[in-house]
């Protein structure tokens, strides 16, 4: 398995292009919110994005962050993770990948696996409807919570 993040500069160009096509302004606040999601490997929820962006833009509101994150989803620049009853997390990585979610700290980690990409979809699932994307979500205890690794700055952010 390998992990991967994408270039922020290219992502900002994607944002500008998507905003232009949708006829919405590509504001500095929107760019900073998107930059935070792209740079944050733990799939932040809106409150986390708000806290991080607010450290750079003191006048940003939580409402602006929420509205922007849903706009980014509507523009196809992020996906949402988690069940509706949980805090929604946003992921700017649109490439085919899977997730490991720590049941102790909530950390969500991208991982890539050819074997999981090639899982055969059962006929029963196909009978429910047309599958567009298949994504595996693994729940367990991350190495830091299990005590097998040194706590990292990323792990402390949650």
């Amino acid at each position: 398995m390998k992990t991967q993040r994408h270039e922020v500069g290219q992502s900002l160009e994607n944002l500008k292009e998507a905003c232009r096509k949708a006829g919405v302004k590509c504001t500095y606040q929107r760019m900073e919110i998107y930059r935070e999601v792209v740079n944050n490997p733990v799939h932040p929820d809106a409150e986390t994005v708000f806290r991080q962006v607010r450290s750079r833009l003191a006048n940003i509101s939580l409402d602006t962050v929420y509205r922007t994150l849903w706009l980014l989803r509507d523009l196809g620049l992020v996906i949402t993770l988690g069940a509706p009853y949980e805090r929604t997390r946003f992921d700017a990585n649109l490439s085919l990948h899977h997730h490991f979610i720590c049941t102790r700290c909530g950390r969500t980690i991208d991982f890539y696996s050819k074997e999981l990409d090639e899982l055969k979809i059962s006929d029963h699932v196909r009978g429910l409807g047309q599958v567009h994307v298949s994504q595996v979500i693994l729940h367990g205890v991350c190495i830091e919570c299990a005590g097998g690794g040194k706590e990292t700055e990323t792990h402390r952010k949650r």
Side-chain angles (χ1 to χ4, degrees), residues 24-84:
V24 297
K25 291 181 181 177
C26 185
T27 65
Y28 184 69
Q29 288 181 327
R30 288 177 177 162
M31 287 192 296
E32 284 301 305
I33 291 165
Y34 187 53
R35 182 188 319 267
E36 187 59 37
V37 176
V38 170
N39 283 331
N40 194 324
V42 298
H43 309 318
D45 59 29
E47 288 82 6
T48 301
V49 172
F50 171 68
R51 284 191 304 274
Q52 294 299 102
V53 172
R54 191 167 189 195
S55 69
R56 298 187 302 273
L57 300 174
N59 64 341
I60 196 159
S61 71
L62 182 57
D63 181 60
T64 297
V65 171
Y66 270 105
R67 283 185 288 110
T68 300
L69 289 170
W70 289 110
L71 172 67
L72 294 173
R73 188 200 62 163
D74 292 345
L75 294 174
L77 296 172
V78 300
I79 57 173
T80 56
L81 305 171

Side-chain angles (χ1 to χ4, degrees), residues 121-129:
I121 304 299
S122 75
D123 291 335
H124 174 74
V125 174
R126 290 176 194 257
L128 298 173

Side-chain angles (χ1 to χ4, degrees), residues 117-137:
D117 294 347
E118 297 168 359
L119 280 178
K120 181 183 181 305
I121 304 299
S122 75
D123 291 335
H124 174 74
V125 174
R126 290 176 194 257
L128 298 173
Q130 186 177 10
V131 175
H132 295 282
V133 176
S134 174
Q135 192 177 65
V136 175
I137 299 175

